Amino acid sequence: MVKVVKFGGSSLASAEQFQKVKSIITAEEERRFVVPSAPGKRHPADTKVTDLLYQCYALAELGHPFDKQLAEIKTRYQDIIDGLKLSVSLDAEFETIREKFAAGIGKDYAASRGEYLNGILLANYLGYAFLDPAEYIIFTDAGVFDGEKTNRVLSARLSTMENAVIPGFYGSMPNGRIKTFSRGGSDITGSIVARAVRANLYENWTDVSGFLVADPRIVEDPEAIETITYRELRELSYMGAGVLHEEAIFPVRSAGIPINIKNTNAPEDAGTFIVESTSRKPRHIITGIAGKKGFTSINIEKDMMNSEIGFGRKVLTAFEANGISFEHMPSGIDTLTVFVHQSEFEEKEQSVLADLHRLAKPDSIEIETDFALIAVVGRAMKAKWGTAAKIFTALHKASINVKMIDQGSSEQNIIIGVRNHDFEEAIRSIYNSFVFE
Ligand code: ASP
């Protein structure tokens, strides 16, 4: 058995957190490959080291003094070194960083130092080898992650190692420039490493005990999700359920490796298993509920639309031409509605309308704003009757007006459009009706 363990920023924010991490790693021999994030927040008002690095580099780029900011970052690491009584010194590393910042090395290099330095400390503390991902996580000249090449190079290297610490979040391009993933990207590195060593499990350690059925800022003390499929997770994270970087599922998914989200501060909690498919039934018909506010609907009417071949294409061309992606497109006989992100649409509104008139020649167009979309997701829905009835009964009892309904063709989700101001209440009423049935 081989497990890859990735620890998020809050799991490695202080010496005390490092101690928890070490006892988790040493508790199981299988936990051989470790992917750390940069030190995160130690308390809610704290700043992540990654953010400090971006800020510090922004000063350097403008030619302003940045020594004070860099010293602050160094203190974050020194506190960990002192707290763990490590004998390692980062003086030379910080001198290199200062020089490179002054020379305008680039924002990605700057940000990547958070993981790099934390990796050095963690490797030293665990007594594991340190592997710099600059050599093994490969991006193309265009800055696109090269999954196949990385997998070849990384798996060859790791196959000769018993243990290693591989910092998350970055790699490099053929010209040697450091390139990072998008924010939260250490999750992706963990997944890449898991694939490269053909791990049996990818454990992703964070500060919550897995995915929750609903957002705890909306529903009080929601239940945790025990097992979720990749597909369900995609639907939920697309709709705003955080915890794991969206792209982190791809490397392990193709290799059939499950992910277990675990809590560094409560390691005994089972957490959430993310799997390709499962015979395990979710506790409720639904697996989770998530949603987002801030959508606009564009209602397009045209008599005999249903018999006009190519009408949908013309409508969508108007959006495509303006670089706007659409979220949903429910249609009637002579009407078709396109849901888009309000913020994206606002800037290009008049240009889209002009294109719609020119291309599709509708009878009328009506725009409505301030919609929220809620996804009710569950693999068990497909085989069960009454799910929709239950959702809409709950919304009816809460006197919430439903503006749009869309059952995904996977039959694993039902998307509901409501007004922004009904969003929270809608989620609460759906949650209550399934969890306290
Ligand atoms: N440290 C990076 C960030 O804050 C990457 C990560 O933690 O995953 O986004």
Side-chain angles (χ1 to χ4, degrees):
M1 276 272 274
V2 182
K3 290 184 183 177
V4 169
V5 287
K6 179 260 167 180
F7 290 89
S10 58
S11 301
L12 291 166
S14 64
E16 199 193 344
Q17 290 299 87
F18 264 68
Q19 282 163 348
K20 291 185 195 168
V21 164
K22 184 173 185 173
S23 59
I24 289 167
I25 294 171
T26 51
E28 288 188 26
E29 247 176 54
E30 295 88 13
R31 293 181 174 139
R32 288 172 45 198
F33 299 100
V34 185
V35 175
S37 277
K41 295 185 183 195
R42 293 160 294 184
H43 48 81
D46 204 8
T47 309
K48 291 177 169 194
V49 163
T50 309
D51 290 311
L52 294 175
L53 285 160
Y54 278 125
Q55 289 160 15
C56 181
Y57 186 70
L59 292 173
E61 225 180 0
L62 291 169
H64 295 322
F66 59 91
D67 285 341
K68 200 170 127 264
Q69 285 72 13
L70 198 60
E72 194 189 329
I73 296 167
K74 193 171 177 202
T75 306
R76 292 286 294 264
Y77 289 100
Q78 197 57 48
D79 286 349
I80 297 171
I81 294 174
D82 296 343
L84 299 174
K85 301 191 172 53
L86 301 179
S87 54
V88 59
S89 161
L90 295 178
D91 290 353
E93 295 290 352
F94 271 92
E95 192 38 40
T96 308
I97 292 171
R98 204 187 57 72
E99 281 164 18
K100 296 210 163 165
F101 274 31
I105 178 110
K107 200 163 135 246
D108 282 21
Y109 170 87
S112 75
R113 295 306 88 182
E115 272 69 11
Y116 171 78
L117 296 168
N118 227 20
I120 293 178
L121 297 194
L122 188 60
N124 186 281
Y125 182 46
L126 294 170
Y128 281 12
F130 172 84
L131 206 68
D132 189 348
E135 290 171 48
Y136 301 96
I137 303 280
I138 302 164
F139 289 81
T140 65
D141 286 319
V144 179
F145 171 62
D146 188 339
E148 293 319 309
K149 193 163 175 200
T150 296
N151 194 49
R152 271 199 311 278
V153 175
L154 188 62
S155 67
R157 179 71 186 94
L158 291 176
S159 68
T160 64
M161 301 179 87
E162 191 51 36
N163 305 102
V165 172
I166 308 114
F169 193 37
Y170 72 96
S172 71
M173 302 200 284
N175 63 6
R177 261 182 103 85
I178 296 289
K179 172 87 189 135
T180 64
F181 292 108
S182 57
R183 295 299 304 266
S186 296
D187 285 341
I188 308 175
T189 310
S191 182
I192 293 165
V193 173
R195 178 183 171 203
V197 299
R198 296 196 186 83
N200 302 78
L201 185 64
Y202 169 26
E203 286 181 343
N204 187 294
W205 292 81
T206 176
D207 52 9
V208 290
S209 295
F211 280 88
L212 302 171
V213 174
D215 187 337
R217 289 166 299 188
I218 299 174
V219 172
E220 205 188 317
D221 202 14
E223 283 186 7
I225 299 174
E226 288 165 4
T227 309
I228 186 169
T229 64
Y230 286 120
R231 180 184 289 278
E232 289 174 311
L233 180 68
R234 254 313 262 153
E235 314 248 10
L236 286 175
S237 37
Y238 183 68
M239 279 303 222
V243 184
L244 189 74
H245 192 295
E246 264 191 272
E247 290 163 41
I249 64 175
F250 298 113
V252 280
R253 185 179 184 172
S254 62
I257 302 165
I259 307 174
N260 188 190
I261 307 285
K262 297 275 288 176
N263 189 347
T264 301
N265 306 316
E268 60 293 342
D269 287 357
T272 300
F273 274 94
I274 308 167
V275 297
E276 177 65 46
S277 65
T278 175
S279 57
R280 292 179 74 127
K281 296 207 172 43
R283 213 174 313 153
H284 312 289
I285 306 171
I286 60 162
T287 304
I289 312 165
K292 275 189 204 164
K293 288 184 181 177
F295 291 93
T296 294
S297 73
I298 299 101
N299 310 314
I300 302 155
E301 278 201 40
K302 184 174 188 183
D303 279 345
M304 305 301 286
M305 167 194 295
N306 60 332
S307 56
E308 182 180 330
I309 291 170
F311 187 79
R313 177 181 50 76
K314 291 172 202 161
V315 166
L316 291 182
T317 304
F319 288 90
E320 185 183 353
N322 288 282
I324 294 178
S325 65
F326 74 97
E327 292 298 308
H328 291 282
M329 195 174 60
S331 62
I333 307 291
D334 290 332
T335 60
L336 189 149
T337 302
V338 182
F339 277 84
V340 293
H341 283 277
Q342 200 154 321
S343 53
E344 253 179 57
F345 180 70
E346 260 164 13
E347 294 166 24
K348 310 211 177 124
E349 177 189 89
Q350 293 310 316
S351 159
V352 176
L353 292 183
D355 285 347
L356 277 173
H357 279 289
R358 186 172 55 80
L359 293 162
K361 303 190 174 46
D363 296 335
S364 69
I365 299 179
E366 195 193 337
I367 298 176
E368 284 186 82
T369 57
D370 300 324
F371 283 116
L373 295 178
I374 298 169
V376 184
V377 175
R379 59 188 180 275
M381 274 183 194
K382 204 168 176 168
K384 183 90 184 171
W385 62 94
T387 312
K390 224 170 164 154
I391 295 172
F392 296 109
T393 304
L395 295 173
H396 162 68
K397 283 191 188 148
S399 307
I400 291 170
N401 192 4
V402 175
K403 302 296 289 186
M404 197 268 304
I405 304 169
D406 188 351
Q407 167 159 300
S409 34
S410 61
E411 273 190 74
Q412 299 203 7
N413 67 348
I414 295 177
I415 313 267
I416 303 143
V418 297
R419 287 277 171 209
N420 272 351
H421 61 79
D422 284 329
F423 178 67
E424 284 84 4
E425 191 49 37
I427 289 188
R428 275 192 288 272
S429 53
I430 296 169
Y431 178 89
N432 290 341
S433 76
F434 282 94
V435 173
F436 303 114
E437 53 197 322

